[in-house]
Structure formats: C-alpha cells, structure tokens
Amino acid sequence: MALYSTALWHLQKEVALSSLAQELVEFDKACPETWCTSGNCFSLQKEHDIAIKFFQRAIQVDSDCAYAYILLGHEYVSTEELDKAMCCFRSAIRIDSRHYIAW
C-alpha cells in the first residue's frame, strides 16, 4: 500500500490518496503502511511538518520499515534538513542494503 500511495502522490491524485489514507487508518492503525500513506497525503498537500510526524509514527510502529525511513528522508530534504535526511537514508540502507531508493 505504501508504494501505491507513493504512485498516487506522483500522479497528484489528492482525493484518491486521502480516501486510501482514511480507509487504512480505519482498518489497521498498527501497520506502518497506514502511516506512510497518511504521510504521503500530507506531503502532497505541502504539509511537510505533519507528513514528518506521520512518517515518524510509521517508524515507531515498525522500526524495520526501510520505506518509512526513505519517505521521512525525502520530507527532510523538502524542509532542507539535509543532515536528518542523510540519517534516514542511512537507516534505510542499514535495514535493507538493496533498497535502491535510499541510495
């Protein structure tokens, strides 16, 4: 679902992304993909600080979710917090060295 939400983000499909996020929150709040999707929703709306909180929540739910670290890193790039972004990308690589997006 996190990859699907990222596809919706790239396609600028705000309504579909928002609907997906709401459905996932209702379905499973203990899943990192739920919070990644919600973070993508706020990222698309340029609400970077809120998106960061949702990506941090995804990491809190599952600290081994490399994709959550990657999305958090991209948000930090958007807010020009490059040191934090590098830490996130390194964490993602440490979890999954083959996750090409973090490279």
Side-chain angles (χ1 to χ4, degrees), residues 55-66:
F55 295 136
Q56 289 172 334
R57 176 67 179 140
I59 292 166
Q60 187 179 36
V61 168
D62 181 0
S63 61
D64 289 329
C65 182

Side-chain angles (χ1 to χ4, degrees), residues 2 10 16 18 25-26 30 45 49:
H10 283 287
S18 177
V25 167
E26 289 175 12
Q45 298 170 13
D49 292 334

Side-chain angles (χ1 to χ4, degrees), residues 2-3 6 31-37 39-40 51-76 84-85 87-89 91-92 95 99 101-102:
L3 293 176
T6 298
C31 181
E33 288 82 1
T34 297
W35 303 111
C36 286
T37 301
N40 275 337
I52 287 169
K53 289 179 183 180
F54 279 109
F55 295 136
Q56 289 172 334
R57 176 67 179 140
I59 292 166
Q60 187 179 36
V61 168
D62 181 0
S63 61
D64 289 329
C65 182
Y67 198 56
Y69 283 101
I70 291 167
L71 293 174
L72 180 58
H74 283 295
E75 286 307 304
Y76 282 136
K84 289 181 179 180
C87 286
C88 289
F89 294 134
S91 293
I95 293 165
H99 209 302
I101 299 171

Side-chain angles (χ1 to χ4, degrees), residues 39-51:
N40 275 337
C41 188
F42 282 98
S43 175
L44 182 57
Q45 298 170 13
K46 307 289 188 225
E47 298 284 345
H48 301 295
D49 292 334
I50 298 171

